[in-house]
């Protein structure tokens, strides 16, 4: 069977509102049920709309959704999701309940940017790695967010296991932390699938550095695991553009298990850049909305998709 999968750092998919808080995505922002707040008319007295309170405006969220609906993946891994309710409301309000199955487990990040999964197929076994190493204090844990392990049950008795990651940010360096995270994901894969890594699995998410970064090699160079973005020409591999540093890099990954790699040798990934804001001048290709700047774009990351034979 064929399925399409994807990964997307949605940039602050939150339920927070910003009353007395102008910091976009601040860890101190309050939470609110947007739909209940709007339904009960609390905002009409001052003539505001519900989007005046949100950390990200409606235009940006519509573009975030359009990145997904225009590509229509069967399963998509997401990063920077506040919690399960945020994901469920996004699916309901912007994706028209396209995905009957959703999963987020709160991770370790103080800003509450977690990793999750939306799927058209049943999500079966789920495991978190947020508490590793065993007995560690929250500040000493391996994963900045989590390495969310989720097996999706597919038709014909098949399944596909996702390892959804969001490695330590590059702000302030973070190389040592990302190396530890990379090494641990490689260990987890061998624990689950043996030294030969036999089985259907993918490692997906925002690894927060380019594919040639030394600290990522314990994972990226692991036993025939394949970074499918390398199937593209070198100048087409970037998934994130940092304007201040004028730096275009691959931060977002789909890594195929050896079995999936061998079944899908000719498949190429697609990097969706049409949701980028118009002020990202490095990219001069088609956009969903040419009038929107970066803060109103779908995200500061590009989603990555690939169709796979399972």
């Amino acid at each position: 069977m064929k399925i399409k999968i994807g990964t997307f750092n949605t940039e602050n998919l939150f339920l927070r509102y910003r009353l007395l808080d102008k910091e976009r995505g601040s860890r101190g922002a309050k939470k609110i049920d947007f739909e209940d707040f709007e339904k009960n008319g609390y905002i009409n007295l001052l003539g505001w709309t519900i989007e005046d309170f949100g950390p990200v405006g409606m235009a940006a969220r519509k573009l975030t959704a359009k990145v997904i609906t225009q590509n229509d993946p069967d399963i998509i891994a997401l990063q920077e999701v506040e919690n399960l309710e945020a994901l469920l409301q996004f699916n309901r309000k912007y994706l028209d309940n396209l995905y009957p199955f959703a999963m987020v487990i709160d991770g370790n990040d103080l800003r509450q940017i977690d990793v999750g999964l939306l799927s058209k197929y049943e999500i079966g076994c789920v495991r978190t790695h947020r508490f590793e190493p065993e007995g560690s204090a929250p500040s000493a844990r391996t994963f900045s967010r989590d390495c969310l392990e989720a097996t999706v049950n597919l038709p014909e008795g098949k399944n596909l296991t996702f390892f959804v990651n969001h490695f330590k940010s590059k702000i302030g360096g973070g190389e040592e932390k990302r190396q530890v995270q990379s090494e641990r994901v490689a260990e987890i894969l061998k624990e689950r699938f043996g030294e030969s890594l036999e089985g259907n699995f993918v490692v997906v998410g925002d690894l927060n550095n380019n594919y040639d970064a030394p600290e990522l090699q314990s994972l990226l160079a692991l036993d025939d695991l394949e970074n499918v973005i390398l199937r593209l020409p070198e100048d087409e591999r970037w998934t994130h553009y940092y304007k201040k540093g004028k730096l275009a890099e691959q931060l977002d990954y789909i890594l195929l298990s050896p079995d999936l790699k061998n079944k899908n040798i000719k498949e190429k990934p697609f990097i969706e850049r049409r949701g980028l804001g118009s002020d990202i001048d490095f990219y001069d290709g088609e956009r969903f909305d040419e009038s929107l700047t970066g803060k109103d774009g779908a995200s500061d990351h590009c989603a990555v998709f690939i169709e796979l034979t399972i």
Side-chain angles (χ1 to χ4, degrees):
M1 66 171 296
K2 280 188 171 289
I3 64 166
K4 182 186 280 190
I5 67 169
T7 184
F8 190 20
N9 182 325
T10 57
E11 190 184 13
N12 298 336
L13 185 55
F14 291 160
L15 292 180
R16 307 173 187 183
Y17 65 93
R18 56 178 179 241
L19 274 175
L20 307 178
D21 185 350
K22 298 185 182 300
E23 177 84 18
R24 187 183 189 199
S26 164
R27 71 178 64 174
K30 306 296 188 296
K31 302 178 185 178
I32 198 165
D33 183 323
F34 277 15
E35 294 171 353
D36 182 67
F37 195 63
E38 192 168 34
K39 180 179 66 178
N40 286 290
Y42 297 122
I43 58 176
N44 294 334
L45 291 176
L46 297 175
W48 293 335
T49 68
I50 191 63
E51 298 302 328
D52 291 319
F53 294 86
V56 179
M58 183 178 289
R61 277 298 158 248
K62 285 182 177 179
L63 278 188
T64 303
K66 194 168 186 177
V67 165
I68 296 172
T69 57
Q70 287 289 301
N71 290 280
D72 193 25
D74 297 293
I75 309 162
I76 185 165
L78 301 171
Q79 299 86 51
E80 295 203 13
V81 180
E82 183 176 25
N83 51 38
L84 180 58
E85 182 58 27
L87 189 56
L88 292 172
Q89 285 202 28
F90 176 67
N91 183 45
R92 184 167 63 246
K93 184 173 181 179
Y94 293 99
L95 300 178
D96 197 25
N97 285 314
L98 182 61
Y99 296 97
F101 303 98
M103 178 55 61
V104 175
I105 295 177
D106 284 344
N108 291 317
D109 195 284
L110 293 176
R111 260 188 67 208
Q112 302 172 58
I113 50 174
D114 299 323
V115 298
L117 205 64
L118 285 172
S119 177
K120 296 179 182 178
Y121 300 106
E122 180 186 25
I123 299 173
C125 180
V126 176
R127 184 190 301 253
T128 179
H129 294 276
R130 64 161 295 191
F131 300 108
E132 298 179 2
E134 184 178 352
S136 60
S139 60
R141 288 176 179 160
T142 299
F143 293 105
S144 309
R145 270 56 81 161
D146 193 3
C147 173
L148 178 64
E149 181 179 344
T151 298
V152 178
N153 299 327
L154 302 173
E156 304 172 12
K158 297 182 179 181
N159 58 58
L160 176 60
T161 299
F162 285 75
F163 296 87
V164 188
N165 285 273
H166 187 182
F167 281 7
K168 177 72 174 68
S169 170
K170 290 177 73 173
I171 297 173
E175 292 87 355
E176 183 176 347
K177 186 73 168 180
R178 286 192 298 277
Q179 180 165 340
V180 170
Q181 293 168 340
S182 176
E183 291 170 351
R184 179 56 186 143
V185 174
E187 290 174 356
I188 291 170
L189 297 179
K190 291 187 176 183
E191 289 170 5
R192 298 287 180 268
F193 297 96
E195 290 293 325
S196 58
L197 300 181
E198 294 181 8
N200 294 331
F201 67 86
V202 290
V203 180
V204 293
D206 177 1
L207 303 189
N208 256 318
N209 212 343
N210 200 47
Y211 57 84
D212 56 0
E215 72 268 21
L216 299 183
Q217 298 315 304
S218 54
L219 176 60
L220 298 185
L222 179 67
D223 301 330
D224 215 25
L225 201 66
E226 186 184 8
N227 171 15
V228 294
I229 293 252
L230 296 185
R231 297 183 179 184
L232 300 176
E234 187 173 358
D235 63 349
E236 297 179 14
R237 295 173 184 169
W238 63 275
T239 67
H240 181 270
Y241 181 55
Y242 182 57
K243 289 195 296 182
K244 289 183 180 179
K246 301 291 184 182
L247 186 62
E249 297 180 294
Q250 182 193 353
L251 300 188
D252 305 274
Y253 291 78
I254 296 177
L255 308 180
L256 300 183
S257 70
D259 286 347
L260 287 179
K261 170 189 172 182
N262 293 333
K263 292 175 189 173
N264 297 278
I265 291 293
K266 295 183 179 180
E267 293 290 345
K268 289 191 175 181
F270 174 66
I271 301 175
E272 179 59 90
R273 299 194 174 102
R274 292 176 293 175
L276 292 173
S278 60
D279 57 343
I280 299 181
D281 54 9
F282 181 84
Y283 172 65
D284 59 2
E286 180 185 355
R287 285 180 168 84
F288 289 137
D289 191 332
E290 296 287 348
S291 68
L292 298 176
T293 60
K295 71 180 182 64
D296 290 319
S299 172
D300 55 350
H301 288 252
C302 304
V304 182
F305 301 95
I306 191 169
E307 190 170 56
L308 298 175
T309 297
I310 306 296

